[in-house]
Amino acid sequence: LGGVVTPLPTGPAAPATTLSMSGGTFGAVDGSLYSQGDIGGRAYTLSLGKHSNDGYRAHAERRADGAVGSISLVEGERSNLKLVLSQNWTRSDSPGPLTGPEVAADPRASSPFYGLDHSDERRSRQSLVGDVELSSSAKLTGNITRGFRRSDVTRTLPLSPEFVDTKHRELRADSLTATAKVTADLPLDTADGRIVFGVDAAAHDLDSTYYQLLSGGRVEYDAPTTAARAVDERGAATRDSVAAFAQYELRPTDALNIVVGGRLDTLRDEFTPRLPSMGVTQEATHNAFSPKLGVSLRYASTRRHSGHLY
């Protein structure tokens, strides 16, 4: 599981721009640019980054470039809407492991078995993030995000110290996700309460193809040829999901907080082998309910000591 936190502007930002550049040994270069301000009264942020390194060993180059930006589309008293864009590129080579005698001869050399190993990957996300004030005590927040990933990776698997197998993988993954959530304060006569409920929905699509490049020993890898690439395995998968969730928070006192909630998920998966892979389409549907119960009690709060029980 992973997550991304994107800072978003919350009003007109004071114009500012910062630039950072650095360099070092082994061809290391790092640069970043950050800018914030407003365009026609619309707050924006922009962050650019670049990294490159030739590596200590031969065939160990690494490159990474990225861009993240956001701009406010609607900035009202009761509603906000922002567009967030991100793009990342990473490229790297792999020198592979060396034997003891090879390290003694040249610790900066690369293994001849890994001369084809390379990774080239692109990731992109586009999001619309917004909120609407429904009343003085209730707010609707939501987002819709499109993402894609393109990956070309060549990897070598050592089957023995002197016999390896090299394959190339082309991966395409696309996703569309959406979330809507309502948060409402429910003040009671003797306590403060809050209710949160909403829905999640997502559609994911993945296509993966493996190509057989080369296999063998030193003779085959001393002068590798990859002109004829044969498709080894190929398949496509999809996942569609929808979920509903709700949570009630009650604070009877300043020291006690109680949370009760639950989430119901429905997921549908499908996998289809594609020629030359053999087999039939596999489908599966899963339903899962996840209950939640939490209690937090602050048992001490003084100048010298504070503590909580959960």
Side-chain angles (χ1 to χ4, degrees):
L1 298 179
V4 176
V5 177
T6 304
L8 299 176
T10 57
T17 300
T18 60
L19 174 65
S20 173
M21 295 291 293
S22 65
T25 55
F26 308 116
V29 176
D30 287 278
S32 64
L33 172 68
Y34 175 79
S35 177
Q36 69 177 32
D38 67 88
I39 301 176
R42 302 180 187 277
Y44 79 90
T45 63
L46 176 64
S47 179
L48 305 176
K50 182 177 183 61
H51 167 79
S52 64
N53 196 311
D54 293 338
Y56 174 74
R57 297 173 56 194
H59 193 59
E61 297 83 3
R62 295 183 181 275
R63 306 286 185 268
D65 303 293
V68 180
S70 64
I71 187 168
S72 177
L73 303 179
V74 176
E75 191 75 39
E77 293 183 359
R78 302 186 60 180
S79 61
N80 297 278
L81 181 64
K82 301 175 180 67
L83 175 65
V84 183
L85 305 173
S86 69
Q87 182 79 39
N88 293 279
W89 304 267
T90 57
R91 296 164 296 282
S92 63
D93 295 330
S94 175
L98 298 176
T99 64
E102 288 173 334
V103 172
D106 184 0
R108 300 186 61 178
S110 63
S111 170
F113 288 128
Y114 290 77
L116 299 175
D117 282 34
H118 178 76
S119 175
D120 191 339
E121 186 168 289
R122 294 183 296 125
R123 295 175 182 264
S124 178
R125 289 168 61 92
Q126 303 89 39
S127 300
L128 281 173
V129 182
D131 60 77
V132 178
E133 187 177 311
L134 302 176
S135 68
S136 59
S137 60
K139 177 183 286 190
L140 169 65
T141 60
N143 70 80
I144 182 169
T145 300
R146 176 189 178 272
F148 79 81
R149 174 186 172 195
R150 301 291 184 268
S151 178
D152 291 295
V153 178
T154 300
R155 286 288 181 264
T156 296
L157 176 67
L159 303 178
S160 75
E162 293 297 329
F163 189 91
V164 301
D165 182 62
T166 302
K167 285 185 171 61
H168 178 79
R169 185 191 192 191
E170 293 181 356
L171 177 71
R172 178 188 58 79
D174 296 278
S175 66
L176 182 65
T177 61
T179 300
K181 178 178 70 174
V182 174
T183 302
D185 294 324
L186 301 174
L188 307 176
D189 293 338
T190 58
D192 290 330
R194 184 172 70 168
I195 187 170
V196 179
F197 60 91
V199 293
D200 283 334
H204 300 272
D205 181 78
L206 182 145
D207 190 284
S208 180
T209 304
Y210 282 91
Y211 296 89
Q212 178 64 46
L213 290 188
L214 190 63
S215 63
R218 294 276 180 173
V219 175
E220 288 78 9
Y221 280 82
D222 281 341
T225 174
T226 60
R229 298 194 308 174
V231 177
D232 196 20
E233 300 286 352
R234 187 184 180 195
T238 61
R239 162 169 285 187
D240 300 318
S241 63
V242 63
F245 56 88
Q247 177 173 296
Y248 180 64
E249 303 175 13
L250 179 65
R251 186 180 289 274
T253 69
D254 289 341
L256 179 63
N257 190 44
I258 302 171
V259 177
V260 179
R263 178 184 173 100
L264 177 63
D265 285 88
T266 298
L267 301 95
R268 179 183 177 276
D269 297 321
E270 180 179 293
F271 175 74
T272 303
R274 294 182 175 175
L275 293 175
S277 304
M278 304 300 290
V280 297
T281 298
Q282 303 288 326
E283 296 183 12
T285 300
H286 303 281
N287 298 299
F289 177 70
S290 308
K292 174 195 285 188
L293 175 62
V295 177
S296 172
L297 174 65
R298 186 178 69 245
Y299 63 83
S301 179
T302 67
R303 285 193 311 159
R304 301 182 60 187
H305 173 68
S306 64
H308 291 78
L309 293 175
Y310 299 94

